[in-house]
Amino acid sequence: MGTQRLTVAQAIVGHLIAQTTELGDGSTAQLFPGIYGIFGHGNVTCLGHALEEHKDELPTWRGQNEQGMALAATAFNKAMRRRQIMAATSSIGPGATNMVTAAGVAHSNRLPLLLIAGDSFASRTPDPVLQQVEHYGVPSTTVNDAFRPVARYWDRITMPDQILTSLPQGIDTMLDAADCGPAFFGLPQDVQAMAFDVPDEFLARKHHAIVRARPDRGQLAAAAEALRSAKQPLILAGGGVHYSFAEAELLAFAERHNIPVVETVAGKASLVATHELNAGPIGVTGCESANNLAADADVVLAVGSRMEDFTTGSWTLFQNPDVTLIGLNAARFDARKRRSMPLVADAREGLVELGQALGDWRADDSWSERATVERAGYHSYIDKIAAPNDAGVAQGEPVTYAQVVGAVDRNKAPGDYVLAAAGGFPGEVNNGWRADEINSFDCEYGFSCMGYEIAGGWGAKMAMPDREVIVFVGDGSTMMMNSDLYSSVISGHKMIVIICDNGGYAVINRLQINQGGVPFNNLLDDCKGPNTQVRVDFEMLAKAQGCNSETVHTVTELEAAMTRARASDRTYVIALQTHPYEWTEGGTYWEVGVPETSYRTEVVDAHNEVVAGKAAQRRA
């Protein structure tokens, strides 16, 4: 084959355009459907020029903040269930370091994210250059080294030929079910501009099919034997169910073998909420029905979960002393956690082959009947706390988060996709949004990133233009990052954003006082300053960015506003005051650091409670 004389930047763009992928329905699409970009001197003249040359083949979307656009890319990639990858590019310096947070989000959630940032001159001749930090003893260090802890694949391209092997390796990493995470490339300004002879095969079409690892026969037999011996088995559905497109196999497996299912935050909407075997969300942000079943289960089949502390109650949730954990996961690292019996495999294929190994074995009806009773109690509780209370509002009682989520849940429409992150909403939407459809939910809780919500809504809407994306966000996260309201307007990606103003960082205030502390520096009323009673007009903030917007005060008004929001031709923001102290209950133990000594006896008591809770921890 021949060659083409291109710059490094042009070669990168050409290679990205050449990649295609297999979607979940078997169709083919561009692996990289676009790139979010904010240009600076470190990327505008070379990479920016190459992107402009191919603006129709690889569309560039302008963000307002580098962190926001990289978060939008992460949410897009999650909505596409890791089968398409939006990229993000920035200049060197603060533009690059702004994206570190988004890399952390993608890394902790096992999501692909391609980040390309400018870098200091490889030649070092003009050093020190604008925005360069200098490390006296390690001159090759730049701010881009900050991406190393939050990238699955990291490289700085210092010679043109390096991109021929490095970029394909980065792409393969992002598409690997076990190693999936962010890939970062630092492009020194002078290297971007260098021309070299690019082999035609580097620019030739490359198709990426879904790779599905099958389980080892020995591990499969051991897992089947463990399940056949179970009296009270439980399936824990994690995010890997979605990424493997294994929802149908999960349903068939649960029904055939009569096993209740609980869902992690990432795995929510793996099974519709109305299914009799869906016992609800598990863990600290979960419900009593799921947690009660988990406490007594003797075999837990964890499918595609990384088993983080909110899922496991800091490893206190599985209280049966003889419990066996089976880790069905594409990643060996996750499959073996806490002495789990590993079943290293793709979630879909693992469920299929495990089901075949079990044959017609079914768990006893008494266990699934208990699950039915437990889930009925859960739904009854949610119905009660989510019911409208307009009369209470008239008497000065603010609307609760549960009532806000309940209003949207009762009035959901086909195709609705709910998105939230951080603060009080993970517990509220995880419990109160009862999914009628598969893959209708994104709550970023691996990194618990405040600011993900609005940017993530923009990215999710870009991935699913025909679906209604509904964003739940608090006033704290809104103030951290709201500029992508404007991004969604100018790009034409309409979403519905519900801003709940509870006067500050209310859920952290809850943790603070629940662990014996006093309210301090979380709610605005408890902050230092002469004007803490000043409040943001979120309706006007949204209108200033081109959104349609209104303020409501009751659940009835919220439901009416949702109708207007659905009819809007652009992003619609609904703002309302919400209660800072009322929360959905039903979680479990969560280990946090509480002082062993304090001037407050309440803090010491809380410390002792934490220590007592640790007695139930699975430590190895």
Side-chain angles (χ1 to χ4, degrees):
M1 298 182 73
T3 61
Q4 299 182 46
R5 189 75 175 171
L6 300 173
T7 66
V8 168
Q10 289 171 320
I12 291 172
V13 171
H15 188 74
L16 296 182
I17 291 171
Q19 310 303 303
T20 62
T21 184
E22 176 187 333
L23 301 182
D25 60 2
S27 63
T28 297
Q30 292 296 117
L31 177 59
F32 297 96
I35 183 169
Y36 297 94
I38 293 179
F39 294 131
H41 71 279
N43 67 339
V44 68
T45 55
C46 295
L47 184 60
H49 176 61
L51 289 169
E52 185 275 330
E53 283 184 301
H54 297 279
K55 60 185 178 183
D56 295 328
E57 300 160 279
L58 185 66
T60 300
W61 299 95
R62 180 189 181 278
Q64 317 307 315
N65 172 284
E66 292 88 357
Q67 179 180 329
M69 68 184 191
L71 290 173
T74 302
F76 178 102
N77 302 342
K78 183 174 184 180
M80 295 305 300
R81 297 198 260 180
R82 307 200 303 197
R83 294 314 306 161
Q84 282 188 296
I85 304 171
M86 286 291 283
T89 180
S90 77
S91 185
I92 183 60
T97 54
N98 278 350
M99 297 196 297
V100 171
T101 296
V105 170
H107 193 287
S108 62
N109 286 282
R110 310 287 203 263
L111 293 170
L113 175 64
L114 175 60
L115 298 174
I116 304 173
D119 213 327
S120 299
F121 284 84
S123 71
R124 303 183 194 165
T125 303
D127 287 3
V129 297
L130 180 66
Q131 298 179 329
Q132 181 178 357
V133 298
E134 296 179 273
H135 288 259
Y136 309 143
V138 191
S140 63
T141 299
T142 76
V143 297
N144 285 340
D145 288 271
F147 285 93
R148 290 180 185 266
V150 288
R152 287 287 192 184
Y153 188 90
W154 186 99
D155 199 6
R156 177 181 289 119
I157 304 303
T158 56
M159 291 292 290
D161 283 358
Q162 292 171 352
I163 204 67
L164 300 179
T165 53
S166 188
L167 186 56
Q169 288 282 6
I171 292 172
D172 285 345
T173 299
M174 289 186 287
L175 292 176
D176 189 287
D179 292 339
C180 182
F184 173 84
F185 291 89
L187 298 182
Q189 296 176 62
D190 49 350
V191 176
Q192 287 183 56
M194 292 178 182
F196 71 119
D197 295 324
V198 180
D200 288 342
E201 55 260 42
F202 187 71
L203 304 172
R205 285 286 172 185
K206 167 67 175 177
H207 183 67
H208 301 271
I210 299 176
V211 176
R212 299 188 179 278
R214 268 62 176 181
D216 171 78
R217 291 180 180 178
Q219 290 185 353
L220 184 68
E225 182 180 356
L227 272 171
R228 274 193 294 266
S229 69
K231 302 300 182 184
Q232 299 178 154
L234 188 68
I235 299 171
L236 187 151
V241 174
H242 291 306
Y243 305 142
S244 178
F245 296 83
E247 295 91 349
E249 287 71 23
L250 173 70
L251 173 62
F253 186 93
E255 289 183 338
R256 182 180 184 187
H257 304 296
N258 195 34
I259 304 177
V261 176
V262 296
E263 297 175 323
T264 71
V265 175
K268 188 175 174 67
S270 294
L271 196 66
V272 294
T274 54
H275 195 283
E276 60 182 6
L277 288 173
N278 189 335
I282 192 174
V284 180
T285 55
C287 63
E288 284 192 355
S289 59
N291 291 339
N292 288 344
L293 293 176
D296 291 340
D298 55 2
V299 176
V300 177
L301 175 62
V303 184
S305 174
R306 65 193 189 97
M307 304 294 277
E308 57 111 31
D309 63 340
F310 262 63
T311 296
T312 65
S314 298
W315 289 99
T316 65
L317 190 51
F318 310 113
Q319 295 178 10
N320 188 320
D322 299 319
V323 66
T324 297
L325 303 180
I326 302 173
L328 171 50
N329 205 295
R332 175 199 55 79
F333 182 86
D334 292 316
R336 289 185 177 272
K337 282 179 177 172
R338 293 298 200 277
R339 303 193 316 278
S340 293
M341 178 181 292
L343 184 57
V344 180
D346 170 77
R348 193 186 79 178
E349 299 309 310
L351 285 170
V352 169
E353 294 198 19
L354 183 57
Q356 292 170 348
L358 287 172
D360 294 329
W361 174 86
R362 287 172 58 84
D364 192 84
D365 286 341
S366 63
W367 177 240
S368 57
E369 287 167 1
R370 178 184 165 188
T372 298
V373 173
E374 294 278 6
R375 69 183 300 276
Y378 153 59
H379 286 292
S380 177
Y381 168 67
I382 295 299
D383 289 340
K384 179 180 178 180
I385 65 172
N389 184 26
D390 290 1
V393 173
Q395 297 173 5
E397 191 75 10
V399 175
T400 67
Y401 269 23
Q403 290 167 340
V404 171
V405 177
V408 178
D409 181 63
R410 287 190 300 274
N411 294 277
K412 55 181 172 282
D416 283 356
Y417 185 87
V418 163
L419 186 144
F425 268 122
E428 302 298 323
V429 296
N430 203 31
N431 280 286
W433 173 261
R434 289 169 286 187
D436 288 345
E437 297 178 62
I438 297 304
N439 193 40
S440 59
F441 180 83
D442 174 11
C443 181
E444 193 292 291
Y445 215 49
F447 211 53
S448 186
C449 180
M450 295 182 71
Y452 175 87
E453 299 92 337
I454 292 173
W458 179 35
K461 182 65 177 184
M462 195 174 291
M464 303 176 297
D466 296 329
R467 298 181 70 173
E468 196 76 80
V469 174
I470 303 171
V471 175
F472 290 100
V473 61
D475 55 305
S477 284
T478 301
M479 292 306 295
M480 281 192 178
M481 191 173 298
N482 59 70
S483 60
D484 285 317
L485 290 172
Y486 183 57
S487 299
S488 73
V489 170
I490 63 175
S491 66
H493 295 102
K494 175 249 179 162
M495 54 186 174
I496 298 173
V497 180
I498 302 173
I499 300 177
C500 292
D501 181 359
N502 56 20
Y505 306 138
V507 79
I508 295 302
N509 179 72
R510 177 198 189 192
L511 177 64
Q512 189 174 50
I513 60 179
N514 282 357
Q515 299 304 321
V518 296
F520 175 67
N521 200 50
N522 285 312
L523 295 181
L524 292 171
D525 290 342
D526 305 317
C527 293
K528 185 177 179 61
N531 300 308
T532 57
Q533 296 305 309
V534 175
R535 295 294 189 265
V536 175
D537 188 330
F538 289 106
E539 176 184 348
M540 296 307 296
L541 178 69
K543 286 181 176 176
Q545 298 185 66
C547 302
N548 293 326
S549 182
E550 63 177 292
T551 301
V552 300
H553 303 90
T554 68
V555 171
T556 300
E557 291 178 1
L558 172 60
E559 292 178 340
M562 283 295 296
T563 300
R564 292 185 286 274
R566 290 183 186 278
S568 176
D569 64 348
R570 64 178 63 185
T571 291
Y572 201 100
V573 174
I574 304 169
L576 72 160
Q577 297 285 322
T578 48
H579 205 298
Y581 289 100
E582 291 291 331
W583 306 98
T584 297
E585 301 296 339
T588 187
Y589 175 84
W590 181 39
E591 183 179 356
V592 294
V594 181
E596 189 171 351
T597 63
S598 169
Y599 74 95
R600 288 179 57 80
T601 58
E602 295 91 340
V603 171
V604 176
D605 290 343
H607 169 81
N608 292 334
E609 289 180 8
V610 169
V611 172
K614 284 175 64 64
Q617 277 184 326
R618 189 182 180 99
R619 298 185 61 193

